[in-house]
Amino acid sequence: MTNQLSEIISDRPHVNLKLDQAFCTIGTAIKRALLLLKERQLIGKNILFLGDDDLISLTTAILLEHLKKDKHEGYKTQLTVYEYDSALIEFIEKQAEIYQLQVRVVKHDLTQGHLELFQPEFDVVMTDPPYTISGLKLFLSRALAALKTQEQTIYLSFGEKSPTTDLLIQQLFYQQQLVVKTILREFNLYDGASVLGNKSNLYILQRTRASKPLIKSQQDFHDPLYTRAVKANSNLNQTSTTYVGVGRQLKQLQNSSLSTTPLGYHYLLELENCDKTRLMVVKQVEFRMNALVKIGGLTPIKHYFH
C-alpha cells in the first residue's frame, strides 16, 4: 500500500500556497484511512472529503481494495470529494481511473452555497481546512450541512497555534453544538507546513441532534478565508483614519469597526485634475505636500523633492 501511494503521490500537482495547501506525509494519509477502519466508519459508509490535497480519498480507496482482496468480497462504501483546485481534481480522477478506484469528485468552491450538494446524506466527513478561524467556521458548517441528522462523525485536522486560537476553536464547536469525542495530538505530519511546525491535531467530532451549521447550505461566505487574505485584512483593520482630497479640501473617513488604537495613518493626495503646469515645478509639488502634512497634523521628519 505504501509503495502504491508513493508512486501516485510522486506525480501529484505542486502545492498551492494561495489555498493554504500543505501535503501530509504518506504515513499520515495511511493513518487517517486506517483510523476510519478502526472506528468502524469505513465499511458500508457514505464518506465525504471536504477538500483533498492530502489525497485521503485515494488512500482510503486503495485500503478498500486491499480489504476486498483479503475478504474476497465487495463493500458498498462510497467516497466523494468536494474540491476547488482544478489541478487536484484532474489528478485524483486520473489516478482513480488508472488504478480502478471508486472515487467521485465534484468541483465546488465551498464559499458558494449549494442546496443540492449540502444535503444530509453522508455518514462521515473528513476535512483538513485552511488554518484560519474563518476557514474552520466555513468547513465545519459545510460538513454539518452534509451529514445525516443522526449522530454522525467529523474527522477534523487543524493546527494548534496558541491558547487564544484554541479558545476560538472550542467556541466554534460549542456554537454548532458539536461534541469533541477525542483529540489526537500531533496526529498529522506534513511536508512544508512550517507555520504549524509541520504537524496538527486530529479532532473526532460527533454531531448531535441539536447541531446546526452557522452558515446555511444555500448561504454564500464572504469573509477572508485563507491565511494571506486573513492577515492582509487584519493589517488593514489596524489603520483607523484615511484622508482623501485635493490640496486643502481633505475629507476624513472614519470607520467605527476599525481598531481604536491605530498603528498609523494613510494619506492619499488626488492629483488627477490638478493644473499640470504646477506638477511640472518641483517647488509647487513640495509646497502642496508640505501643506498636506500640516493639514493632517503630522510632524515632518525629513523630506527631499527633486
Side-chain angles (χ1 to χ4, degrees):
M1 184 172 175
T2 302
N3 292 336
Q4 189 175 359
L5 269 176
S6 298
E7 185 178 342
I8 291 174
I9 287 175
S10 64
D11 294 327
R12 73 173 162 190
H14 293 296
V15 64
N16 188 337
L17 296 178
K18 292 181 180 179
L19 300 179
D20 279 4
Q21 290 179 359
F23 300 150
C24 75
T25 63
I26 294 176
T28 295
I30 294 173
K31 280 170 58 180
R32 289 189 196 172
L34 289 174
L35 181 63
L36 290 174
L37 180 63
K38 178 183 176 182
E39 296 266 319
R40 298 185 178 181
Q41 297 291 341
L42 177 61
I43 306 303
K45 301 293 185 180
N46 191 2
I47 303 172
L48 172 64
F49 300 89
L50 280 182
D52 194 24
D53 58 315
D54 293 323
L55 307 181
I56 309 303
S57 60
L58 293 177
T59 306
T60 306
I62 291 172
L63 175 60
L64 283 169
E65 289 302 310
H66 281 274
L67 292 173
K68 287 179 184 178
K69 290 178 182 178
D70 292 340
K71 297 291 185 179
H72 304 288
E73 61 182 83
Y75 297 114
K76 295 182 179 180
T77 301
Q78 296 180 327
L79 306 177
T80 302
V81 178
Y82 290 174
E83 177 57 59
Y84 176 65
D85 188 333
S86 298
L88 266 176
I89 292 172
E90 182 179 350
F91 178 79
I92 293 173
E93 290 180 333
K94 180 180 178 181
Q95 298 304 316
E97 181 179 356
I98 291 174
Y99 291 95
Q100 297 183 332
L101 303 173
Q102 300 301 312
V103 178
R104 181 174 73 101
V105 186
V106 178
K107 181 171 184 179
H108 185 64
D109 179 354
L110 295 185
T111 63
Q112 304 300 310
H114 200 296
L115 277 174
E116 292 183 6
L117 291 181
F118 301 112
Q119 289 292 320
E121 60 177 297
F122 294 95
D123 300 298
V124 180
V125 174
M126 182 170 280
T127 186
D128 192 339
Y131 294 124
T132 62
I133 294 301
S134 57
L136 179 59
K137 177 182 177 181
L138 174 64
F139 277 61
L140 280 180
S141 291
R142 298 309 191 209
L144 275 173
L147 279 175
K148 293 177 180 177
T149 54
Q150 295 90 346
E151 297 176 350
Q152 308 298 342
T153 306
I154 299 173
Y155 292 88
L156 166 70
S157 295
F158 201 78
E160 189 175 86
K161 294 184 178 181
S162 67
T164 301
T165 303
D166 280 345
L167 178 59
L168 293 173
I169 292 171
Q170 292 175 35
Q171 286 175 342
L172 278 177
F173 294 160
Y174 174 76
Q175 290 168 358
Q176 301 188 81
Q177 297 293 289
L178 287 164
V179 174
V180 181
K181 292 177 61 180
T182 309
I183 303 177
L184 301 176
R185 301 284 180 186
E186 301 182 5
F187 182 91
N188 303 296
L189 298 180
Y190 299 87
D191 295 319
S194 56
V195 69
L196 302 172
N198 294 318
K199 57 191 176 184
S200 74
N201 301 327
L202 191 143
Y203 298 81
I204 302 179
L205 308 173
Q206 187 174 56
R207 178 187 180 130
T208 67
R209 295 187 182 277
S211 297
K212 290 183 179 180
L214 292 176
I215 305 162
K216 296 180 180 179
S217 298
Q218 72 276 18
Q219 184 179 348
D220 293 342
F221 187 72
H222 301 290
D223 292 351
L225 185 62
Y226 299 105
T227 301
R228 290 184 180 182
V230 170
K231 286 185 176 179
N233 187 67
S234 176
N235 292 336
L236 177 63
N237 284 350
Q238 294 185 63
T239 301
S240 65
T241 307
T242 301
Y243 291 92
V244 182
V246 178
R248 292 180 177 274
Q249 298 177 351
L250 292 173
K251 180 180 179 182
Q252 181 176 340
L253 305 179
Q254 295 180 331
N255 189 331
S256 60
S257 67
L258 301 181
S259 172
T260 57
T261 307
L263 296 181
Y265 297 85
H266 288 168
Y267 291 85
L268 173 65
L269 183 62
E270 177 57 71
L271 302 174
E272 183 177 358
N273 297 320
C274 290
D275 186 344
K276 293 182 179 179
T277 59
R278 292 182 178 181
L279 297 180
M280 295 176 66
V281 180
V282 174
K283 285 293 182 182
Q284 292 282 353
V285 175
E286 181 179 6
F287 173 79
R288 280 160 177 75
M289 294 300 291
N290 284 329
L292 176 64
V293 169
K294 291 180 181 179
I295 293 171
L298 303 177
T299 302
I301 303 300
K302 184 178 180 180
H303 66 266
Y304 177 65
F305 294 88
H306 64 283

